Amino acid sequence: MPELPEVEVARRQLARWTADRAIVRVLLQDPAAVRATLSSRPSDRLADAAERLAPLVGAVGTEPVRHGKRLGWVVGGVGLLAHFGMTAHLVRRRAGDEVPDLARLGFELDDGTVAWFVDGRRFGCFTPVEPGELSLRLREGCGPDALREPLDAAGLRAALKGRRPLKVALMDQTKLAGLGNIHAAEACFRARIGPSLPCAEVPAAGWERLAEAIPRQLREAVEAEDSDADLVYVNLGGPNPFAVYGRGGEPCGTCGAAIRSEEMAGRTTYWCPTCQATEPPA
DNA sequence: GACAGTGTTTAATT
DNA sequence: CAATTAAACACTGT
């Protein structure tokens, strides 16, 4: 589930798995996973993907960095940007083991493991850039990182202005980078604000609560997801860990009212009508 | 077989 | 100009 916390977990995995390890082979299962820009379209593939990744062989990478939902990594004089799209995640396997289903790209390391980028839906990709431009390209078109560079109440109010519903604005990566459909809904719940309330109608106290709720939501999600299951890919089956997301019709854990759901800007949005009592303007 | 889904961009429309 | 909607990308899970 690649929103900011999931990408941060992937960053930590990649850092742990590749620290001080040279890449001995790049396994390009799906050449279309390497794109000219961070695009969700496989048709934006780079024609010379294999050549562009060839300099990675023999090199040890720097510690990967993250901005919002993007990763940046420098290996062998190549800057790599990565986006995880809807379904990408990293899996570690031993070299020679069966290639994971839907693996797109693998980095084989000198300890006999492979870090695989697995992405069924193929919206995720890697984009090679000049190393000197990496930090710029990583942030390009993005607002501040919602976890590392959290905005205070005044900053949020200034960034998320206008008539847009709050939850839609929270997902606007150009204003604040990192929140997606799940964590935006959860942050609204934590701040006790209805997701459809226009930004212009959020009261001062609401911005204060949001400024706390956003980093807290993200921090707790990272902690919960940063497991030690490095060698075993654990499917995301199991109980729904969220307070409102995916709980339409269920009783709110806080007040017992039925969680509601409604489409907003094309995405299903969940909220508690009691705990988040702010109403849309009819 | 139908449908929804963690993301993003683009075009068309209101 | 602001905002929404639809479509596209491609595949899994229910």
Side-chain angles (χ1 to χ4, degrees):
Chain A
M1 300 183 284
E3 297 183 27
L4 184 153
E6 297 74 30
V7 178
E8 173 60 19
V9 169
R11 188 195 70 77
R12 294 179 183 190
Q13 289 176 321
L14 193 61
R16 285 200 296 267
W17 299 348
T18 66
D20 303 317
R21 306 254 71 117
I23 291 177
V24 298
R25 205 148 57 121
V26 175
L27 301 149
L28 194 51
Q29 305 300 116
D30 176 12
V34 183
R35 301 186 188 147
T37 61
L38 287 181
S39 159
S40 57
R41 295 182 178 82
S43 60
D44 289 328
R45 74 179 66 185
L46 275 177
D48 56 348
E51 296 95 278
R52 299 293 293 277
L53 299 187
L56 273 66
V57 174
V60 176
T62 58
E63 181 175 357
V65 293
R66 181 191 57 73
H67 187 87
K69 303 174 186 175
R70 300 175 180 171
L71 280 191
W73 197 30
V74 178
V75 196
V78 178
L80 281 179
L81 296 172
H83 195 285
F84 282 63
M86 288 273 267
T87 55
H89 54 272
L90 298 179
V91 176
R92 184 160 71 157
R93 289 285 163 83
R94 273 178 259 281
D97 280 1
E98 198 175 337
V99 175
D101 270 355
L102 310 171
R104 305 300 173 188
L105 180 61
F107 303 101
E108 184 177 332
L109 301 160
D110 64 7
D111 62 355
T113 65
V114 183
W116 287 106
F117 180 78
V118 178
D119 182 20
R121 215 165 164 179
R122 295 177 88 203
F123 291 175
C125 71
F126 281 78
T127 296
V129 300
E130 289 298 321
E133 294 177 4
L134 186 78
S135 54
L136 190 66
R137 298 286 303 275
L138 188 64
R139 303 185 67 104
E140 196 169 47
C142 290
D145 184 86
L147 180 60
R148 280 199 343 271
E149 309 161 326
L151 293 172
D152 62 13
L156 277 178
R157 189 181 49 207
L160 309 180
K161 53 193 178 194
R163 304 297 307 166
R164 273 193 305 184
L166 174 63
K167 183 253 187 180
V168 175
L170 285 172
M171 292 193 296
D172 183 345
Q173 305 298 301
T174 71
K175 301 295 191 291
L176 182 65
L179 292 173
N181 200 35
I182 294 176
H183 296 295
E186 294 293 309
C188 287
F189 176 77
R190 284 180 185 251
R192 304 196 306 278
I193 306 172
S196 61
L197 189 72
C199 291
E201 294 175 29
V202 173
W207 291 119
E208 296 285 351
R209 293 198 300 274
L210 259 181
E212 297 223 349
I214 293 169
R216 191 163 174 194
Q217 168 67 26
L218 297 172
R219 203 177 308 116
E220 291 185 12
V222 170
E223 285 165 12
E225 294 168 20
D226 187 15
S227 73
D228 49 6
D230 283 357
L231 278 171
V232 187
Y233 170 55
V234 182
N235 200 347
L236 291 91
N240 177 354
F242 304 113
V244 291
Y245 180 82
R247 294 195 182 278
E250 296 178 31
C252 170
T254 299
C255 74
I259 302 295
R260 294 179 55 182
S261 69
E262 187 178 297
E263 195 112 319
M264 285 178 47
R267 315 299 300 279
T268 305
T269 299
Y270 302 87
W271 79 100
C272 171
T274 306
C275 295
Q276 299 166 263
T278 45
E279 289 300 322

